[in-house]
Amino acid sequence: YRIIHGTISIKLPYYLTFAEPQGTHEHDLRGIRNINNNLDFTFLRCSINAPSSILHNSYFYRSHKLWNSIPYSIRQCTSFTSFSHKIKDFLFKPEPTESTQ
Protein backbone atom coordinates (compact mmCIF):
# COMPACT_ATOMS: atom_id res chain seq x y z
CA TYR A 1 0.00 0.00 0.00
CA ARG A 2 2.66 2.48 1.02
CA ILE A 3 4.77 1.91 -2.09
CA ILE A 4 1.74 2.17 -4.37
CA HIS A 5 0.49 5.36 -2.73
CA GLY A 6 3.94 6.97 -2.44
CA THR A 7 4.04 7.27 1.35
CA ILE A 8 7.41 5.51 1.58
CA SER A 9 10.63 6.18 -0.33
CA ILE A 10 10.80 2.71 -1.92
CA LYS A 11 10.07 2.81 -5.65
CA LEU A 12 8.53 0.12 -7.81
CA PRO A 13 11.03 -1.60 -10.10
CA TYR A 14 11.02 -0.43 -13.74
CA TYR A 15 9.20 -3.56 -14.92
CA LEU A 16 6.09 -2.92 -12.79
CA THR A 17 3.74 -0.20 -13.97
CA PHE A 18 0.21 0.92 -13.26
CA ALA A 19 -2.48 0.17 -15.80
CA GLU A 20 -2.91 3.20 -18.03
CA PRO A 21 -5.67 3.09 -20.61
CA GLN A 22 -4.77 6.29 -22.47
CA GLY A 23 -3.50 5.44 -25.93
CA THR A 24 -3.84 1.69 -25.45
CA HIS A 25 -5.87 -0.79 -27.41
CA GLU A 26 -8.63 -2.87 -25.89
CA HIS A 27 -6.53 -6.04 -26.18
CA ASP A 28 -3.78 -4.38 -24.10
CA LEU A 29 -6.16 -3.99 -21.15
CA ARG A 30 -6.55 -7.71 -20.43
CA GLY A 31 -6.67 -8.42 -16.72
CA ILE A 32 -7.66 -4.90 -15.71
CA ARG A 33 -10.98 -5.10 -13.97
CA ASN A 34 -13.65 -2.60 -14.91
CA ILE A 35 -15.17 -1.15 -11.72
CA ASN A 36 -18.28 1.00 -12.26
CA ASN A 37 -17.22 1.67 -15.87
CA ASN A 38 -13.84 3.04 -14.69
CA LEU A 39 -10.56 1.25 -15.06
CA ASP A 40 -8.81 0.07 -11.93
CA PHE A 41 -5.75 2.32 -11.69
CA THR A 42 -4.35 0.40 -8.70
CA PHE A 43 -3.77 -2.65 -10.92
CA LEU A 44 -0.08 -3.40 -11.52
CA ARG A 45 1.25 -4.87 -14.74
CA CYS A 46 4.60 -6.59 -15.26
CA SER A 47 6.33 -5.61 -18.51
CA ILE A 48 8.82 -8.49 -18.46
CA ASN A 49 7.60 -11.66 -20.08
CA ALA A 50 10.62 -13.81 -19.26
CA PRO A 51 10.18 -17.33 -17.90
CA SER A 52 13.06 -16.73 -15.51
CA SER A 53 12.66 -18.39 -12.13
CA ILE A 54 14.77 -15.59 -10.67
CA LEU A 55 12.16 -13.03 -11.70
CA HIS A 56 9.20 -15.19 -10.70
CA ASN A 57 10.69 -15.77 -7.25
CA SER A 58 11.59 -12.13 -6.69
CA TYR A 59 9.86 -10.13 -3.98
CA PHE A 60 8.31 -7.48 -6.22
CA TYR A 61 7.06 -9.95 -8.83
CA ARG A 62 5.35 -12.11 -6.22
CA SER A 63 4.01 -9.08 -4.34
CA HIS A 64 2.44 -7.52 -7.42
CA LYS A 65 0.51 -10.74 -8.05
CA LEU A 66 -0.75 -10.70 -4.46
CA TRP A 67 -1.55 -6.97 -4.66
CA ASN A 68 -3.66 -7.49 -7.78
CA SER A 69 -5.57 -10.30 -6.04
CA ILE A 70 -6.68 -8.01 -3.20
CA PRO A 71 -10.24 -6.75 -3.81
CA TYR A 72 -10.39 -3.34 -5.46
CA SER A 73 -12.40 -1.89 -2.58
CA ILE A 74 -9.41 -2.54 -0.30
CA ARG A 75 -6.64 -1.46 -2.72
CA GLN A 76 -8.32 1.88 -3.31
CA CYS A 77 -8.44 2.90 0.38
CA THR A 78 -7.40 6.50 0.87
CA SER A 79 -5.57 6.00 4.18
CA PHE A 80 -3.15 3.41 5.47
CA THR A 81 -5.24 2.98 8.64
CA SER A 82 -8.34 2.14 6.62
CA PHE A 83 -6.34 -0.20 4.36
CA SER A 84 -4.80 -1.91 7.37
CA HIS A 85 -8.18 -2.60 8.99
CA LYS A 86 -9.80 -3.79 5.77
CA ILE A 87 -6.92 -6.06 4.73
CA LYS A 88 -6.86 -7.71 8.17
CA ASP A 89 -10.60 -8.30 7.98
CA PHE A 90 -10.21 -9.74 4.49
CA LEU A 91 -7.27 -11.99 5.32
CA PHE A 92 -8.32 -13.19 8.75
CA LYS A 93 -12.09 -13.28 8.43
CA PRO A 94 -13.24 -16.58 9.94
CA GLU A 95 -14.79 -19.07 7.57
CA PRO A 96 -18.54 -19.40 8.08
CA THR A 97 -19.56 -22.57 9.85
CA GLU A 98 -22.88 -24.34 9.67
CA SER A 99 -23.86 -22.93 13.08
CA THR A 100 -23.19 -19.32 11.96
CA GLN A 101 -24.97 -19.49 8.63
Side-chain angles (χ1 to χ4, degrees):
Y1 177 90
R2 290 182 180 210
I3 293 171
I4 301 299
H5 293 276
T7 61
I8 194 168
S9 61
I10 299 171
K11 302 292 181 199
L12 286 172
Y14 72 92
Y15 56 85
L16 291 179
T17 57
F18 293 103
E20 294 183 25
Q22 294 82 8
T24 60
H25 299 285
E26 190 65 32
H27 69 274
D28 292 333
L29 299 176
R30 281 174 278 164
I32 303 172
R33 285 175 240 133
N34 192 333
I35 308 293
N36 298 327
N37 296 323
N38 295 313
L39 289 173
D40 175 0
F41 291 99
T42 63
F43 189 90
L44 289 172
R45 179 184 296 174
C46 182
S47 63
I48 296 177
N49 211 5
S52 164
S53 64
I54 294 172
L55 172 68
H56 290 277
N57 291 324
S58 72
Y59 171 78
F60 278 111
Y61 185 83
R62 288 180 297 133
S63 341
H64 103 277
K65 300 289 243 176
L66 288 171
W67 174 258
N68 287 341
S69 72
I70 296 170
Y72 175 74
S73 61
I74 297 173
R75 285 185 283 135
Q76 61 135 8
C77 287
T78 56
S79 75
F80 180 72
T81 303
S82 175
F83 173 79
S84 181
H85 290 295
K86 287 183 179 184
I87 195 70
K88 287 175 187 172
D89 288 344
F90 173 71
L91 293 173
F92 303 113
K93 185 177 183 179
E95 292 291 323
T97 62
E98 288 184 31
S99 62
T100 60
Q101 290 181 345

